[in-house]
Amino acid sequence: MRSPAYKAWRAGVESVKGCLRPVRLIGKWEVRHAATGALVASRRGRVWAACGTRRAAVCPTCADRYAADAWHLIHAGLSGGKGVPDTVSRSPRLFVTLTAPSFGPVHSRPGRRPCSCGRWHPDGYPLLGSPVDPDSYDYTGAVLWQAHSGALWHRFTIALRRSIAGAGGLTVRESGEHVRISYAKVAEYQARGLVHFHAIVRADGPSGPGSSPPVWLTPDVLADAVRSAAASVQLGTVRPDGTPLILRWGAQVDVKDITVTDIAGDGDQAVTDTQLAAYIAKYATKGTGATDTGDRRIRSQLDIDQLRVSDHHRAMIQTAWDLGGLDQYAELKLRHWAHMLGFRGHFLTKSRIYSTTFKHLRAERQAHQLQAALTDAGLSDNTDVIVINNWRILGIGYDTPEQLELAAAIGDRIRATRQKRKEVQ
């Protein structure tokens, strides 16, 4: 550990903040003056780049960065910033949760009643979320619902605009001259392996965040429109034997006014926009819950046989794999998404006008890093430069389990230090 090789290796780990799957590169980075071609700054040799995954089960460090970006994206649409006017904080805003329907009784902790199996289950009970009767559980329906959940959300947004137009006595076309609806949503896996969607739904004026919605569109009117839209949405598909299957949202539709409600359910006190953004952003880094191995793509039946997952999650994966082999479901690409239990959507999505984008946030970081390089070179902010990258991959991850374990320890220390600084601030 005193050798120069170890010091160089540790410097690489620290440069990516303890990333568990770093991309090791060799090549060069140059910044040249656009007019003269003169070299302004350069870097050659070996560098490490973080893997950039959003999943905490794969790399906690990179998941923290993704969650931080998600927080900025969500928070900007609630309180303004990042190009969004702060007037959005006065617009009607709801926290909406849409769930999956039931495909059979599952082991649960329903509160003051015992589970449907007749027993009381403690926290951490291994069968929570799994079917009471696996033989009668509708795995085919569950996987097909999961695969179409993104399309159901799209239909929900269309139905919501229709419901709002009806509430104002307008046609859908006319409503565009009075109100615009925007949203940001994140998908979270329930214990039963099906996603539900947490969403911020905001009503703006006709020109977007910079304008006010009509006075008749109160939070209560918006909430009624959300419930009506969720109840009306349906999508038709077929089972493998040709039997029709109608897909809908679950009966549990939770709608809360952000300004007056305790979103986390810890009491009746209001929750701040900052807390709500953090509450939603944390779900963006969660996986399926099947275990770490269930978050990696399935390549063959042998992969499924060797997974260290519960019987219920294995059945979901197996069903997605089997359905993916049928021609009638070819467009769903279920084998490609079997490791995600059939869910094919993005974990965090938003409407175009809700707030900033991940691309913009990352571009800001790149611009900041470039500006630091220009400042070190003694150049002004408005200097026109050309950035040249020429890299090739040497490898991904670490060479030995010992290196991975040590990198994980370094990453934990860095994350703990960062958390302490936040608590002090």
Side-chain angles (χ1 to χ4, degrees), residues 146-385:
Q146 192 108 288
H148 289 89
S149 58
L152 276 173
W153 174 265
H154 177 66
R155 294 196 177 196
F156 164 74
T157 60
I158 295 174
L160 177 59
R161 291 180 176 92
R162 289 173 178 169
S163 295
I164 291 173
L170 306 168
T171 66
V172 175
R173 183 182 294 273
E174 291 171 342
S175 68
E177 301 174 359
H178 300 269
V179 61
R180 292 191 68 177
I181 300 298
S182 61
Y183 68 85
K185 72 171 177 67
V186 64
E188 180 200 6
Y189 280 90
Q190 298 171 297
R192 56 180 173 149
L194 294 169
V195 297
H196 59 190
F197 294 126
H198 299 292
I200 302 296
V201 177
R202 190 186 72 218
D204 298 317
S207 60
S211 56
S212 300
V215 294
W216 55 263
L217 186 52
T218 64
D220 289 340
V221 171
L222 182 59
D224 288 342
V226 167
R227 295 187 182 95
S228 175
S232 67
V233 169
Q234 64 179 35
L235 188 154
T237 185
V238 295
R239 296 180 180 274
D241 61 3
T243 303
L245 176 63
I246 303 301
L247 305 175
R248 297 182 176 89
W249 294 109
Q252 181 182 355
V253 178
D254 193 25
V255 183
K256 296 178 180 178
D257 184 350
I258 290 172
T259 58
V260 299
T261 305
D262 173 20
I263 300 301
D266 298 324
D268 294 328
Q269 61 192 26
V271 65
T272 67
D273 292 346
T274 298
Q275 293 169 328
L276 178 56
Y279 179 75
I280 296 177
K282 71 178 182 179
Y283 290 117
T285 64
K286 294 180 66 175
T288 64
T291 68
D292 297 0
T293 54
D295 284 327
R296 292 177 173 83
R297 190 155 293 156
I298 305 298
R299 303 294 182 183
S300 67
Q301 181 62 49
L302 183 61
D303 285 350
I304 300 176
D305 296 339
Q306 295 179 343
L307 286 176
R308 298 188 302 274
V309 297
S310 68
D311 291 341
H312 175 56
H313 284 97
R314 187 187 306 279
M316 289 283 289
I317 294 171
Q318 185 68 63
T319 301
W321 182 264
D322 293 342
L323 293 176
L326 302 178
D327 291 340
Q328 67 191 96
Y329 302 121
E331 65 178 13
L332 298 178
K333 299 182 179 179
L334 288 173
R335 289 195 168 182
H336 185 81
W337 298 108
H339 66 299
M340 302 306 292
L341 313 183
F343 179 62
R344 306 182 303 130
H346 294 285
F347 275 78
L348 194 156
T349 59
K350 69 175 191 66
S351 57
R352 185 175 61 84
I353 66 169
Y354 174 80
S355 69
T356 187
T357 64
F358 282 112
K359 182 179 180 180
H360 179 73
L361 293 173
R362 290 160 185 161
E364 283 187 334
R365 281 200 296 273
Q366 292 173 353
H368 175 76
Q369 293 169 351
L370 178 59
Q371 183 55 47
L374 293 177
T375 301
D376 291 343
L379 298 178
S380 62
D381 295 354
N382 57 1
T383 303
D384 290 331
V385 296

